[in-house]
Amino acid sequence: MGPYEYVVADVFTETRFEGNPVAVFLDARDLSTGQMQCIAREMNLSETTFVLPAKFDGDVRVRIFTRVNELPFAGHPALGTAVVLAGRHSGDLLRMETGMGVIPFELDRSGSHAVSARMKQPVPVWAPYEHARDLLTGLGLASSTLPVEEYRNGPRHVYIGLPDIDALSAVEPDLRTLARLPDMAANCFAGKGDHWRMRMFSPAYGVAEDAATGSAAGPLAVHLVRHGLISCSQQIRILQGVEMGRPSTMIATVFGSPDQVDSVEVAGSVVIVAQGTLQI
């Protein structure tokens, strides 16, 4: 079978070899679920995406795989895929079918190619995290500056606040302890005003540390709105991946009110770095 054409793009950056890379397979119609999972392991990135014909009212359908499982939605691979597909798609709006429904993307074009995009994410649902003490122990932390809460918009993200950037950079998680907490990504954050920093650890999703977690950027903004650290409609910049040597910048905005979130938007830039084919 094959060859199968793919593109590798660095997401949430304007600089090659920074941001978070994603591999995008442009026509996956002949691939089984098992083959997609094997390919994701072979690519050895935090996520790999597979583009399929739309089933409903979207322009395309996309399946997203980590090294170990399929995700119904994830931010950096979805946004990276949207920009990769922009060269094959006319117009400035791309509607992507995912396991969490149709995600609309506004494409910012430079000539015939999009260099950035803005996505309207699923509005997350939230609750207190039931294993907060075990999570803090696994992160080597005594406490969190805000309540330890979980947000689900596909993946389950849990948020732990640090008092400052130095404390954030000093976090050294026990990944074996975190791996015992199923279906969870731990997101440590610090900052103030319009500028925030984040680190994400998720051995449960096959990612020791992530350079840019787009699906966590929107819920982080919701978390900050709900606890009064930012206001609705305030655009914030979230820097991630610094400690990994792959700095990434995500722009997040929450619309509505602290009690009623109407929509969540996340934006960022993408750089295409490689193209190739894979044989099966």
Side-chain angles (χ1 to χ4, degrees), residues 1-8 23-36 38-40 42-43 48-53 88 274-280:
M1 298 172 65
Y4 292 92
E5 183 183 0
Y6 68 89
V7 173
V8 177
V24 180
F25 281 80
L26 299 170
D27 185 354
R29 283 175 291 182
D30 296 333
L31 294 173
S32 68
T33 296
Q35 288 170 324
M36 292 180 191
C38 287
I39 291 169
E42 182 71 17
M43 300 308 291
T48 298
T49 66
F50 299 88
V51 179
L52 298 159
R88 302 163 179 252
Q275 300 180 30
T277 57
L278 182 140
Q279 301 282 350
I280 295 182

Side-chain angles (χ1 to χ4, degrees), residues 7-12 20-27 47-52 60-65 74-89 94-98 103 105 107 114 116-117 119 268-272:
V7 173
V8 177
D10 288 338
V11 185
F12 292 118
N20 201 355
V22 61
V24 180
F25 281 80
L26 299 170
D27 185 354
E47 280 101 0
T48 298
T49 66
F50 299 88
V51 179
L52 298 159
V60 295
R61 181 164 64 100
V62 172
R63 297 180 68 179
I64 302 169
F65 286 78
H76 108 265
L79 190 136
T81 300
V83 172
V84 167
L85 294 177
R88 302 163 179 252
H89 174 77
L94 176 73
R95 292 172 54 81
M96 180 183 296
E97 295 176 6
T98 73
I103 308 298
F105 291 83
L107 305 172
S116 64
M119 61 179 155
S269 298
V270 178
V271 182
I272 294 175

Side-chain angles (χ1 to χ4, degrees), residues 122-175:
V123 174
V125 295
W126 55 83
Y129 182 55
E130 68 273 25
H131 303 301
R133 180 49 53 192
D134 293 337
L135 175 56
L136 289 170
T137 299
L139 293 168
L141 300 174
S143 62
S144 170
T145 58
L146 292 180
V148 179
E149 295 177 327
E150 65 174 63
Y151 292 73
R152 189 181 287 277
N153 60 1
R156 180 166 68 155
H157 291 291
V158 181
Y159 293 88
I160 306 94
L162 279 296
D164 53 43
I165 301 300
D166 288 342
L168 177 66
S169 294
V171 172
E172 295 184 0
D174 181 342
L175 296 177

